[in-house]
């Protein structure tokens, strides 16, 4: 069976399962990853409120979604410009990330847990500033 035939068989299997709600299908058991992009409401310059939005979306997502991807710099908002150099904003961003990490640790482990990708500024000890995508899984920053 060539690659195209495998894809057709996989699609036929998925369509044959259409009697179930999509959230009930265990795509991971079929060899697929369910990836979802989420754009929550962003509160400019308010990392803690943005973390609440991420956590709310994470907890509302049915288990079985492999990856939840949030927008670039969604922890602070993209257009805060000079505030990226503000230590208070950077400290609040670190606290917001900690809150998200803790929320992913609490997830029920009976079913697959989602990997979460969020964007935030990161300041190195020598003062360099980076736009970073943090990869969080089961209570740890893994990338």
């Amino acid at each position: 069976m060539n690659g195209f035939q495998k894809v057709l068989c996989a699609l036929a299997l998925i369509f044959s399962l259409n009697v179930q709600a999509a959230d009930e299908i265990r795509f991971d058991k079929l060899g697929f990853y369910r990836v979802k992009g989420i754009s929550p409401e962003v509160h400019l310059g308010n990392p803690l409120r943005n973390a609440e939005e991420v956590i709310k979306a994470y907890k509302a997502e049915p288990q079985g979604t492999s990856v939840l991807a949030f927008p670039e710099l969604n922890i602070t908002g993209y257009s805060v410009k000079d505030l990226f150099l503000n230590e208070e904003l950077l400290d609040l961003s670190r606290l917001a990330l900690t809150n998200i990490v803790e929320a992913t640790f609490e997830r029920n482990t009976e079913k697959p847990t989602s990997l979460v990708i969020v964007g935030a500024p990161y300041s190195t000890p020598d003062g360099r500033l980076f736009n970073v995508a943090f990869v969080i899984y089961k209570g740890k920053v893994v990338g």
Side-chain angles (χ1 to χ4, degrees):
M1 191 181 283
N2 67 32
F4 181 71
Q5 291 170 326
K6 288 180 183 177
V7 169
L8 286 178
C9 287
L11 287 173
L13 175 62
I14 289 171
F15 289 121
S16 71
L17 297 172
N18 69 359
V19 293
Q20 294 179 322
D23 292 336
E24 295 174 11
I25 298 172
R26 292 288 306 271
F27 288 100
D28 58 316
K29 297 289 185 190
L30 299 173
F32 294 97
Y33 293 100
R34 180 182 250 179
V35 178
K36 186 171 186 178
I38 298 178
S39 294
E41 183 176 353
V42 175
H43 307 277
L44 289 176
N46 192 341
L48 296 178
R49 182 91 187 271
N50 291 328
E52 289 173 9
E53 295 286 343
V54 169
I55 292 166
K56 182 172 73 173
Y58 173 78
K59 289 185 175 182
E61 187 60 31
Q63 292 180 338
T65 300
S66 301
V67 178
L68 295 177
F70 292 86
E72 179 180 13
L73 292 171
N74 72 297
I75 297 301
T76 56
Y78 192 84
S79 60
V80 295
K81 297 189 181 192
D82 290 341
L83 284 179
F84 286 125
L85 302 174
N86 180 301
E87 277 303 314
E88 183 179 357
L89 181 74
L90 295 173
D91 290 342
L92 288 172
S93 294
R94 284 189 282 276
L95 180 58
L97 284 166
T98 300
N99 293 347
I100 295 168
V101 167
E102 289 173 358
T104 65
F105 184 72
E106 298 171 2
R107 188 73 176 229
N108 180 345
T109 58
E110 292 177 13
K111 293 182 182 177
T113 302
S114 300
L115 180 134
V116 178
I117 304 171
V118 295
Y122 176 75
S123 177
T124 62
D126 64 0
R128 293 180 294 160
L129 187 63
F130 293 96
N131 174 353
V132 176
F134 289 89
V135 181
I136 302 165
Y137 184 67
K138 291 186 177 181
K140 294 181 181 178
V141 176
V142 295

